Amino acid sequence: MKKFDINKLTTQEKIGQLIVAGFHGTTVGPEIENLIREYKVGNILLFSRNIESAAQLFKLNQDLQKIAMETFGIPLYITIDQEGGMVTRIFEDGTFFPGAMTIAATNNVEYAYKIGDLMGKELIDLGINMDLAPVLDVNNNPKNPVIGVRSFSDDPDKVALFGNANIRGLQNHVVATAKHFPGHGDTHVDSHLALPKVEKPLNELEKFEFKPFKAAINDGLHAIMSAHINFTHLTEDGLPVTLSKRALTGLLREEMGFEGLIITDGIEMKAIHDNYGTIEATLKTVNAGANLVCICHDLPYQIGASDRFNKALETGELTMDTLNERVARILTYKEKLNVDLTRTYEDVKENVESIESKAFARQVVEEAVTLIKGETFKQHGKTLVISTNPQATSIADEDSHNSKLGRRIREAFANFEVIETKVKPTEVEIADIVSIASAFDQIVYTSYNGNVYQTQIQLIDALSALNKDLHVLALRNPYDLYYTKNIKNYVAFYEYTPNSIEAVVKYLKGQLKPQGVSPIRYE
């Protein structure tokens, strides 16, 4: 294992280790190369905009590491938000892994470990050594627009159980990052868009939000991502956790004893940018206790943050002792990295494109399908399928995979009529759909985040009033029942992914019997 001596780093090299930079393009362009060579940026965050194929992704990561090793001799952390399910960045060639709530719905904790292990192996073979997953938020607010099925459950013990199993699997290969500390589950505001506030007292946070994170810390978790949320009983001066020394150092480091890496959520998100300024926030979060700052999109902020750290060292706003403490912890973890620049894609192709991994992912999705209420679908008479096409609900989502349920239903069922509709049907569109549906014996409606797009609930109520054989299939958040009691038959699929679309087809053909267990309560 190679040792890195912090005393041999220049000040700029130390500053560069704090920054996790995103960039545009699928090859190493001049901007990202300049960031590494001139600003010594030591970490990268990948998005789907950087990925065309597994072979291209492998080469991109090898090229980035070569520049870093030539420039300062320390490997990059190459990170990605690969949660599985609705937050998946790698669509082509590799495995489309199930999301957290899907895994929990199987009620098989071994699956959480195995998915983590397979995902971690695939990532490290592609050259990605830090995964910004899993989500350890307890989704105890059905109106939450950004977490939902990204969480394992609304039960803190179940989140801890499945989350830790998943972490153990991932950490066989890569750094796992539990997020979003201390919890983003009980908000109705997306921190990509505004600054959420949680006013729960500390004793309630102890019972719910803290539980999964404490369990993960005790189990050897390597990294935690901070939330951009103002916890009024936890942080000082109304600050979000990301900028709070009381939260990151006082609570996380000193009280909970976390010795791993603290990484921020995207510091350009509006919760931070609109209230504190992106560049000033990078300095504030490092002083609060963060080791790594995600600056995901814009070069001026990445360069501006680097310059701001240099200026802060001159003015005393940042001390060299603080900088050294933050960077030394990063270097300790990087000493465990094994970056092999002699490998080719052919060396890893068999694992990355593993048929067995893809088959297991499909198996998990199928076993997760859950009959929440009523009877399973049995085709009779004239059947109409009303398919809601997905739409990215949060900036965390990716909707670039082109799988569409309506098209697949038409291919599979020549005798079904299919209507495709939007996530926010208007009153006129609802009236039109109900008029068409009145001529059918059976109606299958697939919802998509009806908890966020409430006109879907209006459509469900209007269809229910027809007194037909109505079946509602939830292809993302299974919270429709919170908003209407008129659903007689309700099945949860938890995600709108290629695997879940095939699961819907098998279910409607009578080839898939729901055997999942709901990870959320409906009382």
Side-chain angles (χ1 to χ4, degrees):
M1 185 168 68
K2 187 172 182 178
K3 290 285 185 183
F4 300 119
D5 185 353
I6 193 169
N7 296 313
K8 293 182 178 177
L9 270 62
T10 66
T11 298
Q12 187 59 52
E13 287 171 344
K14 293 176 186 177
I15 289 171
Q17 288 297 316
L18 302 174
I19 296 173
V20 186
F23 65 100
H24 295 267
T26 55
T27 59
V28 178
E31 290 187 354
I32 188 62
E33 181 167 359
N34 187 56
L35 275 177
I36 299 172
R37 291 198 187 279
E38 297 301 320
Y39 291 89
K40 318 302 181 191
V41 164
N43 312 283
I44 299 296
L45 176 54
L46 298 172
F47 291 87
S48 58
R49 67 189 183 222
N50 304 117
I51 302 168
E52 290 177 337
S53 68
Q56 166 270 327
L57 176 59
F58 176 88
K59 184 177 186 307
L60 173 64
N61 293 333
Q62 289 287 81
D63 290 346
L64 289 165
Q65 289 290 13
K66 286 175 185 173
I67 294 170
M69 296 306 289
E70 289 170 5
T71 304
F72 41 76
I74 301 170
L76 302 164
Y77 268 133
I78 297 182
T79 73
I80 194 167
D81 285 292
Q82 185 78 346
E83 298 174 11
M86 300 314 300
V87 180
T88 292
R89 304 299 190 225
I90 303 170
F91 302 127
E92 303 298 330
D93 304 325
T95 302
F96 210 120
F97 289 100
M101 196 170 285
T102 304
I103 297 170
T106 66
N107 207 30
N108 187 334
V109 72
E110 288 299 316
Y111 285 1
Y113 172 82
K114 187 171 179 180
I115 288 293
D117 185 62
L118 293 173
M119 184 185 287
K121 183 75 170 69
E122 186 174 307
L123 290 176
I124 199 66
D125 279 341
L126 286 166
I128 296 164
N129 46 34
M130 176 183 277
D131 191 11
L132 305 181
V135 167
L136 291 193
D137 305 325
V138 181
N139 198 72
N140 44 2
N141 187 336
K143 294 181 180 178
N144 193 315
V146 67
I147 302 300
V149 292
R150 296 170 64 195
S151 164
F152 288 99
S153 175
D154 60 5
D155 178 344
D157 293 319
K158 182 163 258 185
V159 174
L161 180 66
F162 279 79
N164 278 311
N166 191 244
I167 288 167
R168 285 194 292 275
L170 280 168
Q171 288 190 170
N172 290 336
H173 311 283
V174 300
V175 173
T177 309
K179 62 187 184 185
H180 307 78
F181 179 82
H184 205 314
D186 197 9
T187 68
H188 62 277
V189 174
D190 182 353
S191 55
H192 291 89
L193 306 175
L195 178 61
K197 180 189 289 188
V198 174
E199 299 181 278
K200 279 185 170 181
L202 283 174
N203 63 339
E204 286 192 28
L205 294 174
E206 288 279 357
K207 290 178 184 174
F208 290 94
E209 279 78 1
F210 292 175
K211 263 191 170 182
F213 290 98
K214 283 188 169 182
I217 291 168
N218 291 335
D219 210 33
L221 174 67
H222 291 168
I224 282 180
M225 176 180 282
S226 63
H228 300 333
I229 299 174
N230 171 17
F231 282 80
T232 57
H233 292 275
L234 183 60
T235 64
E236 67 276 26
D237 303 324
L239 289 169
V241 166
T242 294
L243 306 183
S244 167
K245 190 167 186 175
R246 184 183 295 171
L248 296 189
T249 297
L251 175 65
L252 188 51
R253 288 276 187 236
E254 296 173 359
E255 290 186 34
M256 293 187 177
F258 180 57
E259 295 293 337
L261 301 172
I262 300 174
I263 181 169
T264 72
D265 209 342
I267 208 76
E268 295 155 286
M269 289 162 60
K270 288 184 178 296
I272 298 295
H273 177 81
D274 289 356
N275 294 285
Y276 304 96
T278 293
I279 292 173
E280 285 303 309
T282 60
L283 173 62
K284 199 168 186 65
T285 188
V286 169
N287 270 325
N291 302 95
L292 296 159
V293 187
C294 288
I295 312 176
C296 305
H297 305 295
D298 295 317
L299 183 66
Y301 293 135
Q302 293 156 352
I303 292 174
S306 176
D307 292 343
R308 184 69 182 95
F309 284 127
N310 275 298
K311 181 182 176 185
L313 285 168
E314 293 174 6
T315 61
E317 295 167 281
L318 175 67
T319 68
M320 188 57 75
D321 285 347
T322 296
L323 179 60
N324 285 342
E325 192 280 334
R326 305 296 187 261
V327 175
R329 205 179 290 265
I330 298 168
L331 296 182
T332 298
Y333 274 87
K334 285 194 172 181
E335 287 171 353
K336 301 171 186 172
L337 297 179
N338 181 22
V339 176
D340 183 355
L341 296 178
T342 67
R343 292 197 306 178
T344 68
Y345 183 67
E346 290 303 312
D347 295 327
V348 301
K349 180 177 179 179
E350 183 176 352
N351 180 64
V352 170
E353 301 182 18
S354 167
I355 294 171
E356 291 79 13
S357 294
K358 292 173 182 173
F360 181 66
R362 282 196 300 274
Q363 176 189 335
V364 172
V365 170
E366 290 179 4
E367 290 188 24
V369 175
T370 308
L371 177 63
I372 306 291
K373 181 181 177 184
E375 304 292 331
T376 56
F377 176 82
K378 295 181 180 62
Q379 198 277 326
H380 66 84
K382 292 174 62 181
T383 302
L384 173 68
V385 176
I386 305 166
S387 173
T388 303
N389 287 328
Q391 173 179 309
T393 306
S394 164
I395 293 172
D397 293 0
E398 295 281 1
D399 64 354
S400 56
H401 55 93
N402 295 316
S403 302
K404 291 289 184 287
L405 177 64
R407 182 177 60 212
R408 187 68 185 91
I409 294 290
R410 290 187 185 94
E411 292 171 355
F413 301 92
N415 57 331
F416 284 10
E417 290 292 324
V418 179
I419 297 174
E420 296 187 41
T421 185
K422 296 177 288 191
V423 293
K424 291 185 283 189
T426 66
E427 289 189 7
V428 171
E429 288 166 337
I430 290 172
D432 288 344
I433 291 169
V434 170
S435 175
I436 294 169
S438 65
F440 288 80
D441 303 301
Q442 276 190 314
I443 304 163
V444 177
Y445 176 65
T446 67
S447 67
Y448 186 89
N449 278 355
N451 61 325
V452 177
Y453 307 114
Q454 291 272 307
T455 56
Q456 290 181 45
I457 305 300
Q458 295 177 33
L459 177 54
I460 290 171
D461 285 339
L463 291 170
S464 297
L466 293 173
N467 288 320
K468 305 285 184 176
D469 182 23
L470 173 63
H471 295 258
V472 178
L473 314 184
L475 267 77
R476 187 159 173 176
N477 286 316
Y479 292 113
D480 305 302
L481 279 177
Y482 277 87
Y483 300 97
T484 176
K485 301 302 179 187
N486 292 323
I487 300 173
K488 292 182 179 177
N489 306 299
Y490 191 54
V491 178
F493 288 77
Y494 304 103
E495 55 188 58
Y496 196 114
T497 59
N499 287 333
S500 69
I501 286 173
E502 291 307 311
V504 170
V505 170
K506 291 180 76 171
Y507 171 72
L508 294 177
K509 284 185 173 181
Q511 298 170 349
L512 190 160
K513 183 179 179 182
Q515 55 183 303
V517 176
S518 175
I520 61 172
R521 293 163 297 177
Y522 286 96
E523 67 268 19

